[in-house]
Amino acid sequence: ERVLDRFGELNLTPVCALELEFYLIDQKRTADGSPQPPLDPRSGTREKVASVYGIDDLNRYETFLAALTEAAKTQNLPVSAASKEYAPGQFEVNLKHQADARKAADHAIFLKQIVRAAARKAGFDATFMAKPYEDRAGSGLHIHLSLVDGKGRNVFDDGSATGSELLRHAIGGLQSAMPESMLFFAPNRNSYRRFQPDMFAPVNRHWGVNNRSAGLRIPVGPSEARRIEHRVAGADANPYFALAAVLAGVHHGLTRKLDPGAPAKGNVSRDPDLALASTIDNAIKAAEHALTLASYLSEETLTLYRETKRIETQRLRKIITAPEYDWYL
């Protein structure tokens, strides 16, 4: 809300939509407690084949999707589409864009709830863990964002595929604020396992037109719908904090007229940006020196969030893992 007030000063309204990726998993875990892909509802065999955007995959999981549709209708949740993602048992659900950013974040919270409920009803579990499998793609929280002025005009639209000068300034701000925002986008130790080359998660601050290997993507489509897709956050991120960090970056870029550089072309997922934290410890350190976010969020908010994550990480570090016993006992 504090960040949104800053857009009111510019007579601009953020229009947002959030997308969540997740895995359906078997309700039974493996012997060591790890998740495993679900049994194919049609054949009864364990899912193991990668398939992206498969229509047949949606048909096979129609019981789950029907339960999800019913729950969304009951809760008046604007679910607009569901798609099969790359890994076995992985899906994505999209929400309709909202001119109330707070409501868009609310919808993401409710979506997680009904996905889990629909999964149980269909005989599965669902997880929004960023990286539940070592060798498979992680799950992201993708934030779509445009800005409209007092007349309802999308100020990111100038008729071109790359968008207006304001859009480019917004991207510049997102690039500038990203290093200190990583703790909001990747809030725990597991979150950082998602950032690997060729694993559909961005490893740098590049932007591009319809380039899914870039962390900041300009989707193709009608120019009046020109927007930014921020692809950095994991599905485990808090939607309110993640969206606040994104909005802060956008406002920062607009008011300082930051230049994002030329759009990236081709696969840029093998070009890691050393300015971005690769571990939770580095993300906590970066948040300690957050200059941009500190001017949008209160110091108390930043401190409480950062220290909560520090304590959580310290507790996790004390746990002795199974591989440690296997390797060192």
Side-chain angles (χ1 to χ4, degrees):
E1 291 176 347
R2 187 176 291 112
V3 179
L4 287 174
D5 288 343
R6 303 284 287 273
F7 282 92
E9 297 168 2
L10 301 178
N11 196 28
L12 294 173
T13 300
V15 177
C16 308
L18 279 62
E19 301 173 346
L20 275 161
E21 296 174 329
F22 58 91
Y23 276 93
L24 293 182
I25 58 176
D26 199 314
Q27 291 182 335
K28 294 181 180 180
R29 305 292 183 263
T30 63
D32 65 356
S34 302
Q36 55 184 341
L39 298 177
D40 182 333
R42 186 180 297 165
S43 68
T45 59
R46 183 77 57 201
E47 288 276 19
K48 60 181 180 180
V49 177
S51 171
V52 65
Y53 302 141
I55 300 300
D56 186 60
D57 293 304
L58 298 179
N59 290 337
R60 290 187 293 114
Y61 286 90
E62 61 181 347
T63 300
F64 161 70
L65 293 171
L68 182 64
T69 301
E70 180 183 3
K73 183 177 180 180
T74 299
Q75 292 201 4
N76 196 29
L77 196 63
V79 171
S80 61
S83 60
K84 175 67 178 62
E85 285 299 316
Y86 184 75
Q90 189 182 32
F91 293 83
E92 180 181 79
V93 173
N94 303 347
L95 290 159
K96 185 174 174 59
H97 59 272
Q98 302 292 321
D100 183 340
R102 289 160 293 195
K103 185 176 290 186
D106 289 343
H107 288 165
I109 294 292
F110 292 133
L111 177 60
K112 285 189 173 185
Q113 181 181 19
I114 67 170
V115 164
R116 292 188 178 105
R120 289 192 295 270
K121 188 172 184 179
F124 309 109
D125 277 341
T127 179
F128 293 91
M129 189 178 187
K131 186 74 170 175
Y133 298 112
E134 179 180 334
D135 57 348
R136 292 174 178 143
S139 294
L141 168 65
H142 300 158
I143 298 173
H144 290 253
L145 171 72
S146 60
L147 294 174
V148 297
D149 61 18
K151 297 180 180 179
R153 184 182 67 88
N154 181 1
V155 299
F156 284 171
D157 173 29
D158 68 351
S160 71
T162 54
S164 67
E165 185 178 27
L166 288 178
L167 182 146
R168 290 188 286 277
H169 291 329
I171 291 175
L174 290 170
Q175 292 172 332
S176 174
M178 195 179 295
E180 65 186 61
S181 303
M182 287 301 292
L183 192 60
F184 290 137
F185 302 145
N188 60 65
R189 188 175 179 180
N190 174 266
S191 306
Y192 295 85
R193 302 184 189 278
R194 175 172 158 261
F195 301 111
Q196 300 179 25
D198 296 324
M199 276 291 184
F200 307 102
V203 296
N204 51 53
R205 291 175 283 177
H206 289 312
W207 73 285
V209 177
N210 206 36
N211 189 337
R212 294 179 185 273
S213 71
L216 303 168
R217 169 179 172 251
I218 310 304
V220 295
S223 63
E224 62 269 19
R226 192 65 64 230
R227 64 191 186 276
I228 300 169
E229 180 189 15
H230 190 282
R231 298 172 57 82
V232 182
D236 55 348
N238 180 307
Y240 302 101
F241 277 119
L243 186 53
V246 167
L247 291 172
V250 167
H251 188 277
H252 176 69
L254 291 177
T255 54
R256 286 160 179 77
K257 296 181 171 54
L258 298 182
D259 180 10
K265 297 181 180 179
N267 183 0
V268 294
S269 71
R270 300 169 188 170
D271 182 20
D273 187 336
L274 298 182
L276 300 181
S278 59
T279 67
I280 184 70
D281 298 285
N282 289 340
I284 291 171
K285 289 179 182 178
E288 289 177 351
H289 306 287
L291 298 177
T292 300
L293 288 182
S295 67
Y296 289 91
L297 309 177
S298 72
E299 185 60 36
E300 181 183 36
T301 297
L302 288 172
T303 300
L304 287 172
Y305 182 85
R306 186 179 64 243
E307 291 308 305
T308 298
K309 293 304 173 182
R310 189 194 307 279
I311 292 169
E312 178 184 325
T313 302
Q314 290 172 344
R315 289 177 176 175
L316 186 60
R317 188 172 285 116
K318 293 178 181 179
I319 298 173
I320 301 174
T321 64
E324 289 178 83
Y325 287 124
D326 289 341
W327 297 358
Y328 307 126
L329 192 62

